[in-house]
Amino acid sequence: MLLDSTSLLEFSVDAGTAVEFVAGAQNDSGTAVTGVFNAGTSNGATPVTMIAAPAASNIRRLLYACLRNADTSTRTVTVRVDVASTDLEVRSLSLGVGESLEYSAAGWRVLDANGREKIAEGPSTRGVGRTLSIYKTLTAGEAAGNYYMSLKDVGQPSAWVPGTPGLNGATVTAPFAGLIDFGTPAGAWYLKQVTAAVSVLATPILYDLLWYNTGIVVTTTTAQAIVTPAFPARDCNGSANGSCLEIWLYFTAAATNAGIIANSTVSYTNELGVAGRTATLLSGAGTSIPVTPVIGTAVPFLLQAGDNGVRSIQSITLGTSLVTGSVSLLVVRSVWPPVPVVAVNLGAGAPIDPAGSRIWTGSALFWNFLLTAATATAFRAGLMAEDR
């Protein structure tokens, strides 16, 4: 769990002052790493800060927290992240006498009075799963080493129809035509397993689409200003700060540039709220715009050194004309590692992840492919998630 200068970790209880807490974090200023420790007791329904927000341009990583009910009766404990005075609930549950809510490298868990982890009993949404099947036919992409997004392709789900939101773009929240939607869970979706098969070798990667734009003038080589709305609270921490978010350029119609382009840039604000950052391309397959890129081609912008995400975008500069075609910027989050497909038409999958990868409500998923050949591809996949 990461905290920036606008966020802090706090808790409250239904009543009483007998819930005790300790919390430790690591503060990173960019030049020095120091420890942060806090301890205290509850103050009823009034929030008590466990880990305060760090100074501007600093980041704090929660390492350990424990809340113990030292009262003589059961207490309801609610843990929240306060982001710019907006409360985001992390956990809310009842702790019996002597029980603890603990956060560590193993995540959040409840311990009984003897320090043993409690297992949920009785009716629960835990273990209620859902499996989705994906079928797509991909047209021919670029040469090996380039990326291809299946957004435009027919199948299940259907082809994406983005509309025309303009340079400032639009946020994306499922259900959204053409994107994978798990629906609204009773608790929270956790992606547990992914399997995939392709008719031509390619490496599938699963992403969540949070924002896109249209209207980029492909012959303009100076900065084109963009004012993005707040991105949905679906970064890797479930906030709108942009941690782990990536910027991609996506070709919605083929371009006719005669040479490789590596001088395009995007000006953005990073996950800590620092503006004036610059995302760039590299010269090479997959990290630069190829010659005459076909529809579906995708190119990632590399964030400025030290950055771990994107909170907003201020402009794009193509640097070199694309001559014809059309492109969109996308802001996405990777939700599952690349699936290691090693043979055509043979299903492959990553090992089941017991913890699972969180799929925030409203996630709009799609597939991106690292190509091994410029050949049309039949794609099949299965996604298994648990509602808990």
Side-chain angles (χ1 to χ4, degrees):
M1 180 177 291
L2 302 179
L3 302 174
D4 64 11
S5 60
T6 64
S7 56
L8 58 87
L9 183 69
E10 64 183 22
F11 82 102
S12 62
V13 298
D14 55 338
T17 59
V19 174
E20 305 166 339
F21 80 90
V22 295
Q26 185 182 70
N27 192 90
D28 188 346
S29 68
T31 58
V33 176
T34 55
V36 178
F37 175 78
N38 193 20
T41 58
S42 58
N43 190 21
T46 301
V48 175
T49 297
M50 299 173 70
I51 296 293
S57 300
N58 284 230
I59 193 167
R60 285 184 176 173
R61 297 173 176 86
L62 180 64
L63 301 178
Y64 181 80
C66 183
L67 298 105
R68 178 179 177 274
N69 181 13
D71 209 336
T72 56
S73 59
T74 298
R75 288 289 171 231
T76 299
V77 175
T78 302
V79 179
R80 307 179 190 86
V81 174
D82 183 328
V83 181
S85 299
T86 298
D87 288 336
L88 302 174
E89 186 176 296
V90 177
R91 289 288 187 278
S92 184
L93 47 80
S94 295
L95 290 180
V97 176
E99 294 182 345
S100 302
L101 173 62
E102 181 186 71
Y103 176 87
S104 66
W108 292 97
R109 57 180 185 167
V110 176
L111 307 178
D112 66 18
N114 295 312
R116 296 171 298 197
E117 184 175 4
K118 292 186 66 176
I119 305 300
E121 299 177 354
S124 171
T125 60
R126 185 176 178 87
V128 176
R130 185 176 183 188
T131 300
L132 298 181
S133 296
I134 312 300
Y135 307 91
K136 286 278 188 178
T137 300
L138 285 56
T139 57
E142 284 295 321
N146 288 283
Y147 290 93
Y148 176 100
M149 291 181 175
S150 64
L151 288 164
K152 70 174 185 62
D153 295 308
V154 298
Q156 180 177 308
S158 60
W160 179 49
V161 182
T164 55
L167 277 171
N168 295 339
T171 57
V172 179
T173 299
F176 197 105
L179 298 171
I180 303 166
D181 175 22
F182 266 93
T184 303
W189 286 122
Y190 284 82
L191 190 61
K192 301 297 291 293
Q193 188 175 30
V194 175
T195 57
V198 289
S199 62
V200 177
L201 279 183
T203 302
I205 312 166
L206 190 63
Y207 281 93
D208 179 16
L209 177 59
L210 286 82
W211 172 90
Y212 73 99
N213 78 348
T214 57
I216 296 172
V217 181
V218 298
T219 54
T220 296
T221 57
T222 54
Q224 300 181 56
I226 298 171
V227 180
T228 52
F231 297 146
R234 300 204 307 266
D235 71 3
C236 57
N237 296 319
S239 79
N241 290 338
S243 294
C244 308
L245 300 189
E246 305 172 16
I247 305 171
W248 286 71
L249 187 68
Y250 173 60
F251 284 78
T252 53
T256 54
N257 51 290
I260 292 172
I261 298 173
N263 62 347
S264 298
T265 60
V266 171
S267 177
Y268 68 97
T269 297
N270 71 11
E271 78 283 3
L272 297 178
V274 180
R277 310 297 280 176
T278 301
T280 57
L281 303 180
L282 290 178
S283 181
T287 53
S288 61
I289 299 171
V291 176
T292 60
V294 300
I295 184 173
T297 300
V299 183
F301 279 93
L302 308 182
L303 301 184
Q304 190 167 325
D307 289 352
N308 186 44
V310 179
R311 188 174 296 189
S312 63
I313 292 175
Q314 283 71 59
S315 69
I316 179 172
T317 303
L318 291 176
T320 299
S321 172
L322 297 173
V323 186
T324 60
S326 60
V327 292
S328 292
L329 279 179
L330 310 182
V331 171
V332 302
R333 178 177 77 96
S334 175
V335 298
W336 195 264
V339 179
V341 178
V342 295
V344 298
N345 298 319
L346 179 65
I352 292 178
D353 183 349
S357 179
R358 180 69 180 266
I359 305 177
W360 306 103
T361 300
S363 291
L365 308 181
F366 71 97
W367 290 95
N368 188 15
F369 296 84
L370 178 58
L371 302 176
T372 62
T375 309
T377 306
F379 173 66
R380 305 291 183 267
L383 307 177
M384 183 181 73
E386 181 182 77
D387 180 0
R388 62 178 189 231

